[in-house]
Amino acid sequence: MYGGKGVSTHDSCLSQNVVFEDPAAKVVGEAEVREAFRALRVMKPKTLAFEIVGERETNASTIFEIDLWQRYNFGSNLPFEVYSRLYVEASGPDSAIFRIEERWQNESILHVPPFGAVRRINGIASYNLTSIFIA
């Protein structure tokens, strides 16, 4: 997903109601999440390191904590690196992912108003615009 190749349509690991949220956007539903990771390829992501650092069971799901170091590019001369802590939550007999939270620099996402609404508006706008402008 993070390597710029999107999410496989043949063997989906996502639930239909999956939610992806980072400090900038919140996308809801399999179609929006697929589009977000498809459009990521424009940034030419390269995974520098990936490590599962934790796993815990709740009554209804398993939560994986993952450290991810990525390099992205704005154009050809503007590379930048990002460290993120991912919280990936899965459940059900097929272990479908239903929530992904990406914390940049492992900083908690602000959930107080208006931040949640702004992230959702950004997610909706991104879904619609990248579908049009990114081939």
Side-chain angles (χ1 to χ4, degrees):
M1 289 172 43
Y2 279 90
K5 296 179 181 160
V7 180
S8 169
T9 56
H10 301 292
D11 186 29
S12 182
C13 56
L14 304 175
S15 75
Q16 290 182 340
N17 299 317
V18 64
V19 173
F20 171 84
E21 189 167 16
D22 68 14
K26 178 179 182 178
V27 290
V28 177
E30 189 175 3
E32 287 186 26
V33 172
R34 280 183 187 286
E35 177 57 22
F37 283 100
R38 185 198 69 81
L40 186 63
R41 73 173 181 237
V42 167
M43 302 292 289
K44 299 181 183 115
K46 179 179 181 186
T47 300
L48 304 174
F50 177 95
E51 180 181 0
I52 298 173
V53 295
E55 178 181 338
R56 67 180 187 274
E57 301 285 331
T58 68
N59 289 337
S61 65
T62 303
I63 301 171
F64 298 93
E65 292 181 44
I66 301 165
D67 281 344
L68 177 68
W69 289 266
Q70 291 278 106
R71 179 177 295 130
Y72 298 98
N73 288 285
F74 278 126
S76 59
N77 297 324
L78 297 170
F80 64 97
E81 294 179 5
V82 176
Y83 159 70
S84 297
R85 171 67 57 95
L86 304 175
Y87 293 86
V88 180
E89 199 163 352
S91 70
D94 56 353
S95 297
I97 297 170
F98 66 89
R99 179 158 180 76
I100 304 167
E101 182 176 311
E102 181 176 349
R103 296 180 181 179
W104 299 339
Q105 302 301 109
N106 199 19
E107 292 293 328
S108 294
I109 293 176
L110 296 173
H111 290 284
V112 296
F115 297 105
V118 170
R119 277 194 304 279
R120 183 63 186 125
I121 291 167
N122 285 344
I124 292 167
S126 294
Y127 172 70
N128 287 292
L129 294 174
T130 60
S131 300
I132 294 167
F133 293 110
I134 298 177

